[in-house]
Amino acid sequence: MSRKVFISFLGATNYGECEYLCEGKSYGRTRFIQEATIRHLMSKEEWLPTDAAYILMTSTSETNNWVDFHFNNRDTGEPLTGLHSCLEKLSLPFPVHTIRELPDGNNEQEIWQIFQRVFNECIQEGDELYFDITHGYRYLPMLIVVLGNYAKFLRNITVKSITYGNYEISNFGKNPGLIVDLLPLSALQDWTYASGQYIRSGDASTLVKLGNDAIRPLMKKHKGQDKNTNNLYAFVKSLDGLTKELRTCRGSELIAAKTLKRLSEACGDIEAATIPQLEPLISKIQESLTPFSLYEDVKNGFAAVDWCFNHGLYQQAATLLEESIITLLCKCADLDLMNRTYRDLVSAAIYCQTHPEEPLKEQYKEQQQIILNIQGTMGFEELCSVYAPLSELRNDFNHAGMRVNHSKPDDIVIKLQTYIATTKEIFQKSPSLCRNISKEPLAMLINFTNHPSALWDTAQLAAAQQLFGNVVDLPFPDVDPAGDEQYISDLADLYLDKILSLAQDAQATVHLMGEMTFTLALFNRLRTHNIPCIASTTKRIVENFPNGEKKVKFQFVRFRMYEP
């Protein structure tokens, strides 16, 4: 069973006494934040004899504040008791250990000594850590953050609490002080690391673990009734499912796009489920999935190729590219995508095309007309030029390079990159090749604003999907305020090309809002291509608080068309 471990640095100052509050509850008047914080922690959950507290101190802080009667009361002159006596009066169920004679941390060497002693003397495998960072030198909060992450990796610990005692607001003890919870900052760091791990490597496992560790307790607390928490959990679960589909080359699932659609729906409904700053991280993750269609679409196979290659999953990328070419040709020839016989016939058609000197194999002669139909599809010859060498590369992967003429690792990556680029060039030269391979006609809203659709409220996303179809984000650029008219014109031309590339054969509408001169220039260009533009309208809602702070929220009202 994991230990609960309270860790706090004891300072050397003659601390004033005040009443400490947390979440509106009082934890008594005391000079020592450690006493109030332990009271608070014990009120939240049961602590056992196997748990522990560690008070870290220098020789000076031990003399001044651990033992009794070093300092006198500022008002009465009465000798003051030290922290040791105060904690003894609590009759704690767990032992209190002291880490004595720590250096002051006046240089880098001393700071590392403190780090190593805390790690070695306070932290055991699997501990649950409760940090108090109220007292000590200014570098200590940073030390605790780094130490926590270090111990998470090496000793599988969990940081359960990071608190700070705000005495300053008490007006020298006349008013209550506060025990401030800083754990959300640590949690945000965990989410940031996990999101970065996904963006870099496509690995969502750490995000999933955070979902299990952080979100499930919230769902239990709210009895499954909190929409935002449920949506965040659904997002993490769907992302896990999607990355597994990609990493295991589940082409049929990727084409069906059911997991992609669930993920998009969860993104659209997430608000501040736990930490408001999570929203930009989620938006960043969603941006990585923009190339995918949310409808059943063969092109998702090629989007998966890019995703895998960009995340270093080269064998998966090769497999998906070869199979996606077969799938596309099946679709273009109106053949069952999942029928093994038809997929073999596509491979046979490609082989016949690339080896015209060889006669058709006997086993395929009865299906010769089907092979001819496949060879007559648009883009067939061009795709053959990719498929043949790609098939050889895939065999090199599958046989682990255990062949005489195997490729070197760097050569594999270069070859694969070339095959992917060539396939894209084929699609660009023959846009009709990918026409009508989506199960549903693609109506698309290109969200070209500074507000990713992942951050939209439920009403706005629902209206967008109902009126305009699948929402695709295209981030709005940072328009240089010093740029002249030619700069704006060039920028508008650049983003016109991006939008036309996204739209291709879709029925596209552009949600266009941003810097006015650039917006107008782009609107005029889109109008010449018969692409309508819309803006969204909102209602400004202001909530004023007794302390003088105010919260401003913008509530979606409707979409409004630009007039030509």
Side-chain angles (χ1 to χ4, degrees):
M1 186 175 180
S2 301
R3 291 192 312 164
K4 293 183 180 66
V5 177
F6 174 73
I7 298 176
S8 176
F9 288 89
L10 180 62
T13 304
N14 183 7
Y15 298 114
E17 182 180 281
C18 79
E19 177 189 19
Y20 283 100
L21 304 180
C22 189
E23 298 175 354
K25 184 177 179 180
S26 173
Y27 293 98
R29 285 187 69 85
T30 179
R31 292 176 57 228
F32 297 110
I33 185 60
Q34 293 86 352
E35 180 181 3
T37 302
I38 288 175
R39 288 180 184 272
H40 163 65
L41 295 175
M42 291 180 63
S43 74
K44 303 286 285 186
E45 52 190 333
E46 183 181 8
W47 286 60
L48 303 174
T50 51
D51 300 325
Y54 290 88
I55 308 299
L56 286 60
M57 60 189 76
T58 64
S59 297
T60 303
S61 60
E62 179 179 6
T63 300
N64 291 4
N65 280 321
W66 180 247
V67 300
D68 294 336
F69 310 141
H70 178 81
F71 286 123
N72 297 326
N73 187 289
R74 297 171 181 176
D75 298 322
T76 66
E78 179 183 355
L80 297 172
T81 56
L83 178 59
H84 178 253
S85 296
C86 293
L87 295 181
E88 276 195 336
K89 291 178 182 177
L90 294 179
S91 299
L92 300 174
F94 52 84
V96 176
H97 305 286
T98 55
I99 306 299
R100 290 181 157 90
E101 298 182 352
L102 287 173
D104 289 328
N106 291 324
N107 53 52
E108 184 179 343
Q109 182 180 1
E110 290 187 355
I111 291 172
W112 281 118
Q113 288 176 9
I114 296 171
F115 183 99
Q116 206 61 40
R117 286 196 62 187
V118 175
F119 180 74
N120 290 333
E121 299 179 35
C122 302
I123 300 174
Q124 297 178 11
E125 180 73 22
D127 280 347
E128 297 177 350
L129 303 185
Y130 298 75
F131 287 112
D132 162 51
I133 61 170
T134 306
H135 300 310
Y137 295 99
R138 291 179 181 178
Y139 63 81
L140 288 177
M142 182 67 180
L143 183 145
I144 290 300
V145 168
V146 176
L147 176 65
N149 287 329
Y150 187 73
K152 284 175 188 176
F153 178 73
L154 289 179
R155 294 198 174 157
N156 197 31
I157 63 93
T158 304
V159 177
K160 300 286 286 186
S161 174
I162 302 176
T163 54
Y164 167 78
N166 190 343
Y167 171 81
E168 287 74 16
I169 65 171
S170 73
N171 191 17
F172 300 102
K174 296 176 184 176
N175 302 316
L178 286 179
I179 299 174
V180 182
D181 181 15
L182 300 178
L183 187 61
L185 295 176
S186 176
L188 179 60
Q189 186 181 47
D190 290 340
W191 282 97
T192 302
Y193 170 79
S195 301
Q197 182 183 41
Y198 162 76
I199 294 297
R200 289 188 301 272
S201 68
D203 182 4
S205 60
T206 306
L207 279 169
V208 174
K209 186 176 188 306
L210 283 175
N212 290 331
D213 294 348
I215 304 173
R216 278 187 172 178
L218 288 173
M219 294 175 68
K220 185 176 180 180
K221 175 183 176 181
H222 297 296
K223 299 181 179 178
Q225 300 303 307
D226 183 77
K227 179 187 69 174
N228 294 326
T229 304
N230 294 346
N231 288 333
L232 182 56
Y233 183 71
F235 164 78
V236 171
K237 187 175 181 181
S238 298
L239 183 64
D240 180 43
L242 177 61
T243 53
K244 286 177 179 175
E245 290 175 5
L246 288 159
R247 286 171 166 268
T248 56
C249 300
R250 301 300 88 190
S252 59
E253 284 86 350
L254 292 167
I255 290 171
K258 292 180 180 179
T259 307
L260 275 160
K261 195 162 189 176
R262 286 197 300 269
L263 179 61
S264 179
E265 289 168 353
C267 282
D269 285 338
I270 290 173
E271 294 176 8
T274 52
I275 305 170
Q277 288 75 17
L278 284 181
E279 293 177 9
L281 299 180
I282 292 167
S283 176
K284 188 76 173 176
I285 291 171
Q286 191 185 27
E287 283 179 21
S288 72
L289 304 174
T290 300
F292 290 91
S293 169
L294 301 185
Y295 301 108
E296 184 174 330
D297 195 334
V298 171
K299 286 184 288 188
N300 278 343
F302 296 99
V305 171
D306 272 345
W307 189 96
C308 288
F309 184 85
N310 292 336
H311 290 97
L313 303 174
Y314 301 125
Q315 185 168 8
Q316 289 91 328
T319 299
L320 285 165
L321 182 56
E322 184 178 15
E323 295 299 328
S324 294
I325 290 173
I326 293 175
T327 300
L328 174 58
L329 292 173
C330 280
K331 186 72 174 179
C332 291
D334 200 24
L335 302 175
D336 183 354
L337 309 181
M338 301 298 291
N339 186 296
R340 175 67 180 272
T341 299
Y342 290 143
R343 297 185 73 85
D344 287 345
L345 286 175
V346 170
S347 297
I350 295 173
Y351 188 84
C352 290
Q353 180 71 24
T354 54
H355 297 78
E357 72 283 358
E358 296 186 21
L360 181 66
K361 291 183 179 180
E362 189 68 31
Q363 66 194 82
Y364 295 124
K365 287 185 176 180
E366 292 184 7
Q367 290 89 17
Q368 187 169 5
Q369 186 56 51
I370 297 177
I371 290 176
L372 291 174
N373 291 341
I374 294 169
Q375 291 176 330
T377 59
M378 182 178 296
F380 175 78
E381 291 186 16
E382 292 86 347
L383 289 172
C384 284
S385 68
V386 176
Y387 184 91
L390 174 63
S391 180
E392 183 65 22
L393 180 66
R394 183 180 174 186
N395 285 332
D396 200 351
F397 268 124
N398 291 342
H399 292 286
M402 300 302 293
R403 306 189 304 173
V404 174
N405 296 319
H406 67 273
S407 297
K408 300 296 182 182
D410 288 343
D411 294 335
I412 286 178
V413 176
I414 293 171
K415 288 178 182 178
L416 181 57
Q417 189 173 29
T418 302
Y419 302 151
I420 294 172
T422 303
T423 305
K424 290 180 180 179
E425 290 174 4
I426 293 170
F427 290 155
Q428 288 172 355
K429 292 177 182 177
S430 305
S432 297
L433 182 62
C434 286
R435 185 178 294 160
N436 299 324
I437 61 174
S438 174
K439 187 174 183 180
E440 300 184 35
L442 183 60
M444 176 190 295
L445 178 64
I446 298 174
N447 175 39
F448 187 47
T449 71
N450 282 312
H451 302 281
S453 58
L455 305 183
W456 291 359
D457 61 29
T458 306
Q460 183 172 0
L461 187 69
Q465 291 175 337
Q466 182 179 5
L467 295 171
F468 307 105
N470 179 33
V471 180
V472 176
D473 288 310
L474 177 63
F476 200 92
D478 291 326
V479 180
D480 186 356
D484 60 13
E485 289 78 2
Q486 186 61 48
Y487 163 80
I488 292 295
S489 178
D490 293 342
L491 192 64
D493 288 337
L494 173 65
Y495 276 87
L496 173 65
D497 290 341
K498 290 179 180 286
I499 290 172
L500 292 177
S501 177
L502 277 174
Q504 290 189 351
D505 300 308
Q507 182 182 348
T509 303
V510 177
H511 182 217
L512 178 60
M513 299 177 71
E515 198 278 335
M516 296 185 66
T517 59
F518 171 68
T519 296
L520 179 61
L522 183 59
F523 167 73
N524 287 331
R525 286 162 171 77
L526 291 169
R527 184 174 59 175
T528 64
H529 290 270
N530 297 315
I531 296 179
C533 297
I534 61 170
S536 52
T537 66
T538 58
K539 182 179 180 182
R540 188 172 185 266
I541 301 173
V542 180
E543 185 178 0
N544 294 305
F545 296 94
N547 62 1
E549 295 181 359
K550 66 180 180 180
K551 180 180 180 181
V552 179
K553 182 178 181 181
F554 293 91
Q555 185 179 69
F556 171 77
V557 177
R558 59 164 292 171
F559 290 106
R560 182 181 293 153
M561 299 293 297
Y562 283 85
E563 286 190 2

